[in-house]
Amino acid sequence: MSQVANVITIDDPADPRLADFRDLSAADRRPDRPGGRGLVIAEGVVVVERLLASPFPVRALLGVARRIEALADRLAPLDVPAYVTTAEVMAEVVGFHLNRGVLASADRAVQPPVADLVARARTLAVLEGVGDHENLGSLFRNAAALGLDGLLLGPGCSDPLYRRSVRVSMGHVLRVPFATVEDLPGGLDLLRENGFKVAALTPRADAVPLATAGLHTGKAALLLGSEGPGLTEEAIAAADLAVRIPMFGGVDSLNVATAAAIAFYALGIQDKSRETDPSD
Amino acid sequence: MSQVANVITIDDPADPRLADFRDLSAADRRPDRPGGRGLVIAEGVVVVERLLASPFPVRALLGVARRIEALADRLAPLDVPAYVTTAEVMAEVVGFHLNRGVLASADRAVQPPVADLVARARTLAVLEGVGDHENLGSLFRNAAALGLDGLLLGPGCSDPLYRRSVRVSMGHVLRVPFATVEDLPGGLDLLRENGFKVAALTPRADAVPLATAGLHTGKAALLLGSEGPGLTEEAIAAADLAVRIPMFGGVDSLNVATAAAIAFYALGIQDKSRETDPSD
C-alpha cells in the first residue's frame, strides 16, 4: 500500500481522526434528524467505489487493510485519508460489528435544482410518502438499473442519504439525480410545462393497465406512493392518468420498489436511451 | 369470542400445549434442517388468514386476544385450538418479541408431483440456487401477484416453508403451487414435452431483450438463478433461449426477486389468464 500517500494506521479507537465513523447507530448520525451532522456514510467496497466516483466530497475512509488495499487504485489520485485498523477497533469505533470491512464518509453534494433536473430528463419518478429507508434505497437501485433519469421526492419521503438507504441502494443514491419537491400535487405543474405525461401507479379499478397506457413514447413521470396507504386521492386526481399493474389470484399489492421496477421497465426506456453495452 | 369453541386461555409459558411455538429461533425449528420438525409457522393476521385458506393442515394458533378475535370468523368453522395469552407470555414461549401478535402452526401439505404441476400450468418459474430465504419469499409473493401458475425448485434452493420465507412471501408460499426438481437441467425435458418454451434470465450480452423474446404467446418457463453467481452455464445452455432485462448506466444487476417480477410481468400473463377483478 506504500503507493497510496494517505494510508494511516490507527490502533486507538479513541483517535479523534475517526470522529466521522463514531457510534454510527446513534441518533445524531442520522443526517435527516435535528442534531444530525448530515454526513453520508458508505459501507463496503462496491458502495465506497460508487461514492468515490460520485460528486459527493469524500472526507475519509476507515477499513481493514485488505479492503483499503482493494480500493488502492481508486484512492491513489485522491487527497483523502484512509485509516487502516483491525476489525475489532472498527467495531469499537462504529459501535457494532461491520462485516463489510470498509467505510467512507462524505459531505452532502448540492442537490440539483428541481427545474434543472426536470429540464434534462425524459423519464422520472415522483415519490409521495415513501418513508421506509429500505424501500427508498431499493427504488434508487431499480431506477439506476432500469435507466430512469432522476427521482423527485415529495412530502413524507425519508432521506435517501441515510446510511441504510445508501447500503440497500448499492450506492445508487449517490449516482441517480434526485431533488426534493415540497408541494405535491402542485409540483406536477412543472413536469407538465416540460412536456411530461404524469402517470399515477395505483391498484384502483379504473386505472389503465400499464401496457396499454402509452408511456413508451415521449416524456413520462411515474407518481408512486408508499406500500401501505398508497398515493393520496389528490395526487391521483392531479395526474394525467392512473395506471395499474394487472394482478392475479386475489392479490392486490406488490412491494413498492418491485411495483416501481415493473413500471420503470414498462416505460420502455430501452427505446429512449442507450442501454449499458452488455458486452462491456 | 364465546362463539369460537376452541379458544383456550393459557397463562403458563411452560404449558405443553404450546410446544409447536416454543423457541422458534432454535435450529430444530428449521423445517429444512436435520432434526427439524417440519412444522410450518405463519406470523401475523394476514399470513395466518392465508394459512387457514390453504391446503396446509393447521394444528394450532397462539395469539393475544385482539388478534385471535380478528380471526374469529375464519376460526369458527375449524376444529383447531386457539391459545390466547399475553404478549409477555408469547415472547417467553417463542424466545423473542413478536410484534405481529399471532402465530399459527401447520403440518406440511403434500407437494404436487412435478408432472401434475407442469401439466396444469401455462407459466412457470424454475429456480436454481436461490438459497436466500428472503429472496425466495419475495419470489413467491411476486409470482402470486403476477399470476404465475407455479414454481419449480431446483438444486441449491432453500426451503420456502421456513418461517422467514413464509413471512416475506406474505403467506403466498402457502398458495402458489411448487415442486422440487432434483435434476437440472435434466428436468427441463419435462417442460419441453409439455410444450413449454424455456427462457433463461441472465445479463449475458448475447441474450435477447425480454420484450422481443416472444414469451407472450404459448407456454413459457423462466429459468432464474441466484443474485450473485447467477445461473450455471449448463442451465443457460439447456434453455431454449437466453433473455435479459435491458439495463443502463453501467449497472448490471437487480435483486433476483425484482428481476423475476419484471420477467413475470413481461410474460404477458394478462393475455393468458384472468386477472384479479380490480373492482372487487
Side-chain angles (χ1 to χ4, degrees), chain B residues 5-21:
Chain B
N6 295 312
V7 171
I8 299 149
T9 300
I10 288 192
D11 301 319
D12 175 10
D15 192 306
R17 290 172 292 180
L18 303 184
D20 280 5
F21 306 105

Side-chain angles (χ1 to χ4, degrees), chain A residues 145 175 244 247 249 275-276, chain B residues 145 175 244 247-249 275-276:
Chain A
R175 295 180 58 234
R244 65 185 166 80
M247 286 188 238
E275 67 175 291
T276 300
Chain B
R175 295 180 57 234
R244 65 183 166 81
M247 286 188 238
F248 300 85
E275 67 175 292
T276 299

Side-chain angles (χ1 to χ4, degrees), chain A residues 100 244-245:
Chain A
R100 285 177 184 79
R244 65 185 166 80
I245 297 168

Side-chain angles (χ1 to χ4, degrees), chain A residues 4-258:
Chain A
V4 182
N6 295 311
V7 171
I8 300 149
T9 300
I10 289 192
D11 300 320
D12 176 9
D15 192 305
R17 290 172 292 181
L18 302 185
D20 281 5
F21 306 104
R22 205 171 301 290
D23 296 327
L24 284 185
S25 56
D28 68 351
R29 293 313 160 113
R30 288 282 299 267
D32 53 340
R33 291 267 175 90
R37 304 197 311 152
L39 289 186
V40 178
I41 302 288
E43 300 166 78
V45 169
V46 171
V47 178
V48 170
E49 281 179 342
R50 293 209 167 109
L51 176 65
L52 295 175
S54 80
F56 287 74
V58 181
R59 295 163 54 98
L61 276 76
L62 170 64
V64 297
R66 195 159 61 92
R67 300 292 183 217
I68 297 291
E69 273 162 32
L71 291 158
D73 288 350
R74 313 268 180 152
L75 287 172
L78 301 176
D79 184 24
V80 167
Y83 301 112
V84 171
T85 189
T86 63
E88 292 69 33
V89 170
M90 266 188 90
E92 201 166 332
V93 172
V94 169
F96 51 89
H97 178 71
L98 228 139
N99 57 15
R100 285 177 184 79
V102 64
L103 294 165
S105 64
D107 289 311
R108 299 194 146 217
V110 176
Q111 282 183 19
V114 179
D116 289 6
L117 178 48
V118 171
R120 287 198 311 269
R122 282 169 297 176
T123 49
L124 289 169
V126 185
L127 312 185
E128 184 189 49
V130 179
D132 180 273
H133 286 104
E134 297 199 9
N135 282 340
L136 194 59
S138 297
L139 267 162
F140 271 83
R141 180 182 179 188
N142 296 345
L146 297 164
L148 245 69
D149 294 323
L151 288 99
L152 303 183
L153 308 183
C157 290
S158 49
D159 180 358
L161 297 176
Y162 176 53
R163 189 165 52 86
R164 185 140 45 105
S165 294
V166 175
R167 182 177 68 227
V168 172
S169 82
M170 309 277 281
H172 290 300
V173 293
L174 308 170
R175 295 180 58 234
V176 177
F178 68 90
T180 303
V181 182
E182 304 286 347
D183 173 33
L184 271 186
L188 300 181
D189 291 343
L190 177 68
L191 290 168
R192 271 186 288 256
E193 286 160 17
N194 280 269
F196 278 83
K197 187 187 275 189
V198 179
L201 188 66
T202 162
R204 272 166 49 155
D206 56 352
V208 179
L210 254 183
T212 59
L215 300 175
H216 274 70
T217 54
K219 295 183 182 181
L222 275 169
L223 194 51
L224 303 167
S226 73
E227 199 167 340
L231 288 168
T232 57
E233 289 296 320
E234 294 69 30
I236 296 174
D240 296 312
L241 75 165
V243 297
R244 65 185 166 80
I245 297 168
M247 286 188 238
F248 300 84
V251 186
D252 65 357
S253 84
L254 285 162
N255 168 276
V256 60
T258 305

